[in-house]
Amino acid sequence: MIRSLKSGLARLLLHPVAVFAGLLLGGLYGWVDHGQTPFIGPVGDVYVRLLQMCVIPLLFTAVATSLGRLFLEGSANRYLSRLIVLLVSGLLVAGALGLALGQWGQPGADMQQHARQVIGEVVFRAEAASAGTVSAVGGGFADLVVNIVPENIFGALTTGNKVAILFFAILFGVALGSITREKSERAIELMEALYETFIKIIEWLMYVLPVGLFCLAYSQISLIGIEVLLAMTTLVLLLYAGAMTLIVLYTVLIWLRVGGSYWRSVGALKEAMFVAFGT
């Protein structure tokens, strides 16, 4: 009886209707309340921090174990070049799609000056908040390459420098698959257990997703107002259109080659980077 109640409650909380209801109700309440309920905003911030808490461990363990398994099984020579081509081409496709949608949709072209000013202030605050986690990229490509390599991996982990952590995870995964098989297998099994542990934490957090979205929508609408949100409708629709296009494209590609260890490794890598850079 209790198990069936828990299962029914879980299905209810994870239902798309419940998720969108939490988002819409939070935005509506924030528009009406104008930030007069101060404890709601911090609840949303805590929820985001809980998700971000799992991002770095997921990124590191997924990338390191995937590459380590490829090199350990001896399939790196066959698949590594394809993996690099896939990731680079995926980035190029995503960038080209974003540019094309931006040129076609022209988001913000009809936005009023007040809305532009408010959005600029929000972006400025976000950049100021993240200034400590992202190294300043000087004036050229050489500085960008230098900043990708972490001077201190523990410092990169502390500041959340995802690009530097990704580079270290790739290097660590290649080295992990190149040591003796017995030691490598033990280390990979441990890291896979850690990966599944953080996935489980995220699954738990998904059960309160409607509440988290309610609090986040409340704080954002209270901050920027409904007018700015309506002015960004075109941008939001274009973002979702681009995301759906990429999802369909990758789904077709994976469906054509489903079942291979190559695609399992690629899927783990893409999932980790999506969670990391998407959050």
Side-chain angles (χ1 to χ4, degrees), residues 55-56 58-63 66-67 83-84 86-88 90-91 162-163 165-167 169-170 195 250 265-279:
V55 167
I56 300 301
L58 274 176
L59 173 67
F60 182 81
T61 55
V63 173
S66 300
L67 290 176
L83 180 62
I84 294 174
L86 177 67
L87 294 178
V88 173
L91 292 174
K162 297 184 181 68
V163 176
I165 295 171
L166 177 61
F167 174 83
I170 293 173
Y195 172 80
Y250 290 133
S265 300
V266 171
L269 286 171
K270 292 188 71 61
E271 179 183 357
M273 284 186 282
F274 173 78
V275 171
F277 296 101
T279 308

Side-chain angles (χ1 to χ4, degrees), residues 111 114-116 118-119 224-233:
M111 191 178 295
H114 172 69
R116 295 183 182 183
V118 173
I119 293 175
I224 65 176
I226 193 66
E227 296 82 4
V228 177
L229 181 64
L230 292 176
M232 296 176 63
T233 302

